[in-house]
Amino acid sequence: MKKPIKVSASILAADFAKLSEEIKRSEAAGVDRLHIDCMDGHFVPNLTIGPVVIQAVRPHTKLPIEAHLMIEHPWDYIESYAQAGADIIQIQVECYGKRKHACSQYGQWPKEVGSIDVELLRRDLRKIRQLGRKAFIVINPGTPLFKEALSECDGVLIMSVNPGFAGQKFISSVLSKVQEITEGFKGDIAIDGGINAQTAPEAIAAGARVLITASYLYGASNPQEIVRFLKGLGN
Ligand code: DX5
Ligand code: ZN
């Protein structure tokens, strides 16, 4: 039997001036998780928020919080994010390998790798689990699917945009990775970036079961309808 579709609200497109209201609105809309995009201005060309905001948000919701770490040296921060109250910690595999030539310099994006240090990645995934949190790997559009550490993963997040900003166009070529991961992997298969009424059915057909959405959800006048529509696609 197929797993039900879960919707994760990416607060990047929420109004940060009234975050707790926005979170209540997302809860009322029926989302399953909150997705918090943590960007450092180095791994991606944008800066957002860190553990202090997760700590501030934590008492305002019972929804599981996922921290999507778009940061260099994630290993230095895993504990802080766990302590701040993240339930799921999502780490980018591009932090565990030699960067491709086109993104090897400071200020070159998107970050992509052709190979990774699997032992290092496993170490961090284990660390996340030892802290009692769920461990996900995240894979950028230009990075291949690395399967070597899947036994240490509770989920795999396939990026369908180059990370950094909300409101970008869905890159459909990543769907082959979604399809590939469905073969044998029992954890969550999530997709992030450019999800909307047109792209969500494609993502689900490929095997995604967790849809992460920012602009489509927060830009809607009736977010409840959006969540109902997305979940209904799984039937
Ligand atoms: C991109 C972020 C996504 C983003 C999704 O760097 O990781 O979570 O907020 O935004 P939409 O749904 O607008 O593409
Ligand atoms: Zn994200």
Side-chain angles (χ1 to χ4, degrees):
M1 210 185 78
K2 276 187 179 173
K3 283 187 189 174
I5 301 298
K6 286 197 159 75
V7 176
S8 185
S10 169
I11 63 162
L12 194 54
D15 182 346
F16 283 130
K18 38 181 183 175
L19 199 46
S20 70
E21 282 170 46
E22 292 280 71
I23 290 168
K24 291 283 168 273
R25 202 161 72 99
S26 320
E27 279 181 354
V31 307
D32 301 284
R33 297 176 186 172
L34 277 188
H35 179 87
I36 304 195
D37 286 312
C38 306
M39 306 186 189
D40 69 350
H42 297 275
F43 183 79
V44 287
N46 195 7
L47 271 171
T48 55
I49 52 189
V52 286
V53 176
I54 294 187
Q55 198 178 352
V57 160
R58 185 65 283 177
H60 292 268
T61 183
K62 290 202 165 59
L63 290 175
I65 292 178
E66 40 187 49
H68 177 188
L69 304 191
M70 287 158 277
I71 62 174
E72 296 288 6
H73 314 128
W75 42 86
D76 285 340
Y77 299 95
I78 286 170
E79 244 174 285
S80 310
Y81 280 99
Q83 273 167 14
D87 302 282
I88 297 170
I89 299 184
Q90 301 172 326
I91 52 177
Q92 296 269 167
V93 297
E94 294 79 12
C95 295
Y96 297 86
K98 191 171 175 290
R99 301 272 158 84
K100 288 186 185 169
H101 181 69
C103 60
S104 60
Q105 301 297 312
Y106 178 81
Q108 293 180 320
W109 297 289
K111 298 299 185 199
E112 293 168 353
V113 294
S115 62
I116 53 167
D117 182 336
V118 178
E119 275 321 304
L120 217 57
L121 179 61
R122 282 205 184 112
R123 179 203 66 184
D124 284 357
L125 292 166
R126 275 190 212 119
K127 185 172 177 180
I128 294 170
R129 284 179 156 183
Q130 276 158 10
L131 289 162
R133 306 303 191 255
K134 293 212 163 16
F136 281 44
I137 52 168
V138 189
I139 301 177
N140 277 350
T143 296
L145 177 63
F146 295 110
K147 291 180 166 172
E148 297 91 333
L150 286 185
S151 57
E152 324 280 341
C153 289
D154 298 295
V156 174
L157 169 49
I158 303 292
M159 287 307 297
S160 39
V161 296
N162 284 310
F165 304 92
Q168 301 184 78
K169 196 173 174 288
F170 187 79
I171 300 171
S172 51
S173 56
V174 306
L175 292 176
S176 56
K177 282 188 273 186
V178 174
Q179 229 153 17
E180 199 186 331
I181 197 80
T182 57
E183 290 153 25
F185 182 64
K186 296 277 175 279
D188 278 351
I189 303 175
I191 191 155
D192 184 12
I195 290 296
N196 59 35
Q198 287 72 46
T199 59
E202 296 173 34
I204 290 168
R209 284 291 171 272
V210 181
L211 304 176
I212 297 162
T213 164
S215 353
Y216 181 49
L217 182 73
Y218 287 101
S221 51
N222 188 348
Q224 205 165 355
E225 240 166 56
I226 301 290
V227 175
R228 202 180 307 129
F229 166 72
L230 291 176
K231 290 192 177 187
L233 293 171
N235 299 332

